[in-house]
C-alpha cells in the first residue's frame, strides 16, 4: 500500500514538473518579451504626445508581464506626475526605489513630488537618502531646512558647504536670515573664530565676525578682531580701524587722517564703527585744533547717513565748547545735508544768535520757522525776544501773546514768556501790564524752585 502511495506522489510531481517546463518554453518567453516591448514603446509614444492616461494603461500591461520592473514603475510615476496625480506618482517612484535602491532617479522623482506638494518634511528624508548617491543635493537640503525652520541644521550645512565648495549668494542670503535671529549668532561667532584659526588670510571671516560683534554692540571684540586682521592682512580696510587708534595714541596725525578717511569711505564697514572713529577724531582735535579743516572732508562721507546728522553733531560739539562761530558754520551746513533736523538745528542757532546779540539774524530764523511750524512755541518766544531787543515792542507783544497759547507744561519757557511780555509792555509804557507779567514770572520761578 505504501509503495502504491509513493508511486502516485511521484506521478503527481512529474506531472507538475512537466507543466512547469511547458510554462517556460522559449517561444512563449519570446512572445511575452515582444509584448512587453510593444507596450513599453507604446507608453513612451503616448507620453511623448502628452496622452498620459494611455501611457499609464500601456505601462500597467507591462507590469502584468513583469510586476517587479523598476523602470516601469518609474515611468508610471512620471506619467502620474504630469497628470498632477501626486499620490500615485509618489507611490510609483517609491516602489521603483524599493526595487532598485541605488538608482538616484527614483529618489529624485519622490523629491519632485515633495517639492510640488510642499511636503518639505518628507523632502528632507528623501534628500538625505539621495545625498550619498549624489552629494550636490546638499544644496537642496539647505533650502529644505530653511522651509522646515531647522535653522541650526541649515547653518551647520551652510558652513560646511562654504568651506568645501565655496560660498554662494543664495547661501549667503540664507545665512543673513538665520543670523538676524539672535539665538544663532553665538554659534556663528564660534564657527568664525574656528575659520579664522584655520584660514588666517581669509578676510571675509574677519569681516563677518566684526559684523556680528557690532550687532551685539561689543565694540571691544570688534577692535580686538580688527587688530588680529591688521596683523594677518595689513592692507585690509578693516585693519585701518585698529591702526587709526594706534596712530592717534602715537600722535601720528597724518596717518590717523588717512586711516580715518579709508574707514569712512569703505562700503564694508558698519556705520557704528565709522561714528566711533569720527568721534575719537573730534576729541583728538581738542589738542590738535590745527587739523579742524579735515572735518569738512570727513563730513562728506556721511551725506547718505539717515541715522545721524553729523554736521549738526559737530555743531553741538563746538556749541558746548562755546566756540560759537564754528558751531554756526556746521549748523548751517546741517541744513543743506538734512532738512529733517531743521527744528532742533534752528533752536540751536537761535540760542547762539541771542547769546551773541545778533538779533537781526535771530529774528529772521524765528519768523521763518513760525511760518513753517506755527505750533512750536519756542519760535514765537525767540521772535518776541528779538523784537524787544530791536525795540519793536508792539510786534514783540503780538508775537508773544500768540505763542503763549502753545506753551504746555513747560514752566521754564512760560517764565521766559512772561519776562519778555513784561519787557514788551515796559517798552510800550504800560506799567501795570509790565508789573503783572514780571510778578507772574516771579511766582512761576518760586514754584519751579519748590518742585526741584
Amino acid at each position: 500500500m505504501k509503495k502504491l502511495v509513493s508511486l502516485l506522489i511521484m506521478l503527481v510531481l512529474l506531472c507538475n514538473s512537466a507543466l512547469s517546463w511547458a510554462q517556460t518554453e522559449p517561444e512563449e518567453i519570446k512572445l511575452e518579451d515582444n509584448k512587453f516591448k510593444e507596450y513599453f514603446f507604446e507608453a513612451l509614444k503616448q507620453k511623448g504626445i502628452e496622452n498620459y492616461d494611455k501611457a499609464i494603461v500601456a505601462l500597467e500591461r507591462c507590469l502584468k508581464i513583469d510586476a517587479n520592473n523598476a523602470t516601469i514603475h518609474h515611468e508610471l510615476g512620471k506619467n502620474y506626475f504630469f497628470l498632477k496625480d501626486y499620490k500615485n506618482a509618489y507611490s510609483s517612484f517609491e516602489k521603483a526605489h524599493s526595487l532598485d535602491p541605488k538608482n538616484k532617479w527614483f529618489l529624485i522623482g519622490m523629491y519632485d513630488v515633495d517639492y510640488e506638494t510642499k511636503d518639505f518634511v518628507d523632502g528632507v528624508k528623501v534628500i538625505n537618502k539621495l545625498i550619498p548617491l549624489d552629494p550636490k543635493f546638499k544644496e537642496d537640503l539647505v533650502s529644505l531646512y530653511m522651509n522646515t525652520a531647522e535653522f541650526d541644521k541649515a547653518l551647520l550645512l551652510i558652513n560646511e558647504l562654504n568651506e568645501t565648495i565655496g560660498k554662494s549668494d543664495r547661501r549667503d542670503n540664507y545665512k543673513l536670515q538665520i543670523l538676524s535671529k539672535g539665538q544663532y549668532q553665538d554659534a556663528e561667532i564660534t564657527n568664525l573664530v574656528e575659520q579664522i584659526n584655520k584660514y588666517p588670510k581669509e578676510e571675509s571671516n574677519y569681516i563677518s565676525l566684526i559684523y556680528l560683534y557690532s550687532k551685539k554692540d561689543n565694540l571691544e571684540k570688534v577692535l580686538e578682531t580688527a587688530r588680529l586682521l591688521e596683523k594677518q592682512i595689513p592692507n585690509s580696510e578693516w585693519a585701518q580701524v585698529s591702526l587709526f587708534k594706534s596712530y592717534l595714541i602715537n600722535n601720528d596725525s597724518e596717518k590717523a587722517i588717512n586711516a580715518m578717511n579709508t574707514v569712512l569711505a569703505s562700503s564694508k564697514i558698519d556705520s557704528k564703527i565709522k561714528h566711533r572713529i569720527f568721534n575719537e577724531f573730534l576729541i583728538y582735535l581738542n589738542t590738535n585744533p590745527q587739523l579742524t579743516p579735515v572735518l569738512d572732508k570727513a563730513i562728506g562721507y556721511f551725506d547718505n547717513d539717515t541715522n545721524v546728522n553729523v554736521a549738526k553733531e559737530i555743531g553741538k560739539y563746538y556749541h558746548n565748547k562755546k566756540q560759537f562761530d564754528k558751531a554756526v558754520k556746521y549748523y548751517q551746513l546741517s541744513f543743506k545735508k538734512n532738512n529733517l533736523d531743521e527744528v532742533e538745528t534752528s533752536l540751536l542757532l537761535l540760542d547762539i544768535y541771542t547769546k551773541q546779540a545778533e538779533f537781526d539774524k535771530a529774528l529772521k530764523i524765528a519768523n521763518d520757522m513760525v511760518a513753517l511750524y506755527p505750533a512750536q512755541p519756542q519760535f514765537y518766544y525767540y521772535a518776541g525776544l528779538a523784537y524787544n531787543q530791536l525795540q519793536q515792542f508792539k510786534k514783540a507783544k503780538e508775537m508773544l501773546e500768540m505763542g503763549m497759547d502753545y506753551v504746555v507744561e513747560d514752566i521754564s519757557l512760560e517764565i521766559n514768556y512772561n519776562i519778555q511780555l513784561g519787557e514788551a509792555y515796559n517798552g510800550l509804557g504800560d506799567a501795570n501790564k509790565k508789573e503783572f507779567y514780571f510778578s507772574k514770572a516771579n511766582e512761576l520761578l518760586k514754584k519751579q524752585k519748590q518742585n526741584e
Side-chain angles (χ1 to χ4, degrees):
M1 185 66 180
K2 286 182 179 179
K3 286 183 179 180
L4 181 60
V5 171
S6 297
L7 184 60
L8 287 170
I9 291 171
M10 285 182 67
L11 285 169
V12 170
L13 289 171
L14 285 168
C15 288
N16 286 340
S17 179
L19 286 169
S20 178
W21 279 106
Q23 289 172 2
T24 55
E25 282 291 327
E27 291 80 3
E28 292 189 21
I29 293 171
K30 187 174 181 181
L31 185 63
E32 287 197 348
D33 186 47
N34 288 338
K35 282 288 183 184
F36 182 92
K37 288 178 181 177
E38 179 186 330
Y39 296 145
F40 182 69
F41 287 120
E42 176 65 15
L44 293 179
K45 183 181 83 171
Q46 295 299 333
K47 185 181 75 172
I49 58 176
E50 300 183 7
N51 286 332
Y52 305 120
D53 287 325
K54 290 182 179 180
I56 289 169
V57 170
L59 290 167
E60 285 174 342
R61 287 174 178 167
C62 288
L63 287 179
K64 286 180 181 178
I65 298 170
D66 186 357
N68 292 323
N69 190 305
T71 301
I72 300 302
H73 287 287
H74 183 231
E75 281 296 317
L76 264 176
K78 288 189 203 176
N79 284 281
Y80 281 128
F81 186 85
F82 293 137
L83 288 172
K84 301 188 186 308
D85 183 350
Y86 297 122
K87 183 178 180 181
N88 280 321
Y90 191 92
S91 296
S92 298
F93 290 136
E94 190 174 33
K95 177 65 175 176
H97 170 64
S98 69
L99 293 167
D100 185 0
K102 298 295 184 182
N103 191 317
K104 71 176 183 179
W105 293 106
F106 305 156
L107 286 166
I108 290 171
M110 294 164 66
Y111 174 52
D112 286 341
V113 173
D114 286 333
Y115 187 83
E116 286 296 319
T117 57
K118 300 191 183 325
D119 189 348
F120 301 120
V121 173
D122 191 70
V124 169
K125 296 176 185 175
V126 172
I127 286 291
N128 275 314
K129 293 177 183 176
L130 184 53
I131 285 170
L133 303 176
D134 192 342
K136 75 179 181 184
F137 281 94
K138 284 185 178 182
E139 289 284 359
D140 292 76
L141 185 55
V142 173
S143 298
L144 288 169
Y145 282 146
M146 295 299 293
N147 281 298
T148 57
E150 295 177 90
F151 299 122
D152 50 346
K153 293 180 181 178
L155 186 58
L156 285 171
L157 188 53
I158 288 168
N159 289 334
E160 176 193 324
L161 292 171
N162 285 350
E163 186 170 357
T164 54
I165 64 175
K167 295 183 178 181
S168 73
D169 289 341
R170 185 171 70 165
R171 273 184 266 119
D172 284 347
N173 288 332
Y174 284 152
K175 196 166 189 176
L176 284 173
Q177 289 178 46
I178 295 169
L179 296 180
S180 67
K181 306 173 194 305
Q183 67 265 38
Y184 299 102
Q185 290 177 6
D186 289 340
E188 178 60 6
I189 285 172
T190 301
N191 169 64
L192 287 168
V193 170
E194 291 173 358
Q195 291 298 307
I196 286 170
N197 290 333
K198 281 186 186 178
Y199 310 106
K201 300 298 182 183
E202 178 56 54
E203 185 187 37
S204 63
N205 291 325
Y206 295 92
I207 294 170
S208 296
L209 186 56
I210 287 169
Y211 170 77
L212 286 180
Y213 283 140
S214 177
K215 289 266 290 182
K216 287 176 169 287
D217 290 323
N218 192 339
L219 293 180
E220 286 186 15
K221 283 292 186 180
V222 167
L223 292 173
E224 179 185 315
T225 308
R227 282 191 288 271
L228 185 58
L229 173 57
E230 169 206 337
K231 181 179 177 182
Q232 296 294 341
I233 312 173
N235 294 327
S236 167
E237 291 176 1
W238 274 100
Q240 299 306 309
V241 173
S242 175
L243 289 168
F244 169 78
K245 186 72 174 179
S246 64
Y247 291 146
L248 289 186
I249 292 170
N250 295 325
N251 204 29
D252 192 338
S253 57
E254 184 177 349
K255 287 184 178 179
I257 291 167
N258 288 336
M260 178 179 71
N261 287 335
T262 298
V263 171
L264 297 183
S266 174
S267 60
K268 301 176 183 177
I269 297 175
D270 187 85
S271 63
K272 291 178 185 177
I273 307 301
K274 292 181 180 181
H275 285 296
R276 174 167 175 160
I277 281 180
F278 188 78
N279 289 335
E280 287 179 353
F281 187 73
L282 275 178
I283 295 167
Y284 183 68
L285 290 181
N286 287 332
T287 53
N288 296 273
Q290 74 278 8
L291 299 176
T292 301
V294 172
L295 290 178
D296 292 342
K297 179 180 179 181
I299 289 173
Y301 293 119
F302 294 98
D303 280 351
N304 297 320
D305 190 330
T306 58
N307 296 317
V308 180
N309 186 334
V310 175
K312 185 185 73 176
E313 295 306 313
I314 296 174
K316 285 182 179 179
Y317 170 78
Y318 285 121
H319 197 147
N320 292 331
K321 292 169 70 66
K322 300 189 184 328
Q323 297 180 28
F324 297 130
D325 290 343
K326 289 180 180 177
V328 166
K329 171 188 172 181
Y330 288 104
Y331 287 149
Q332 290 173 337
L333 189 59
S334 81
F335 278 125
K336 297 176 185 177
K337 302 285 184 186
N338 191 341
N339 289 330
L340 295 177
D341 288 339
E342 63 185 357
V343 170
E344 184 186 8
T345 307
S346 295
L347 290 171
L348 291 165
L349 273 172
L350 286 167
D351 179 63
I352 289 175
Y353 287 143
T354 53
K355 284 176 178 174
Q356 292 186 310
E358 296 183 78
F359 298 111
D360 286 328
K361 292 180 179 178
L363 183 60
K364 183 178 187 316
I365 290 176
N367 278 331
D368 288 345
M369 297 307 285
V370 163
L372 289 171
Y373 300 97
Q376 289 283 350
Q378 294 95 332
F379 295 128
Y380 293 92
Y381 164 74
Y382 277 112
L385 184 154
Y387 277 130
N388 272 336
Q389 293 298 321
L390 295 170
Q391 298 189 351
Q392 299 182 44
F393 302 115
K394 184 179 179 182
K395 288 184 178 179
K397 175 187 82 71
E398 291 171 352
M399 187 65 74
L400 290 163
E401 285 175 346
M402 279 193 294
M404 182 69 87
D405 292 337
Y406 299 107
V407 179
V408 179
E409 296 183 359
D410 187 340
I411 194 167
S412 294
L413 184 59
E414 194 175 349
I415 290 167
N416 288 330
Y417 257 89
N418 282 287
I419 291 170
Q420 291 304 316
L421 278 166
E423 293 286 355
Y425 278 109
N426 182 52
L428 291 170
D430 190 331
N432 290 332
K433 285 285 183 75
K434 179 193 81 171
E435 289 303 322
F436 171 78
Y437 283 110
F438 281 160
S439 62
K440 190 172 181 180
N442 282 327
E443 287 174 16
L444 290 169
L445 194 58
K446 291 176 183 175
K447 182 180 177 182
Q448 186 183 48
K449 287 181 179 178
Q450 288 172 356
N451 291 337
E452 288 178 352

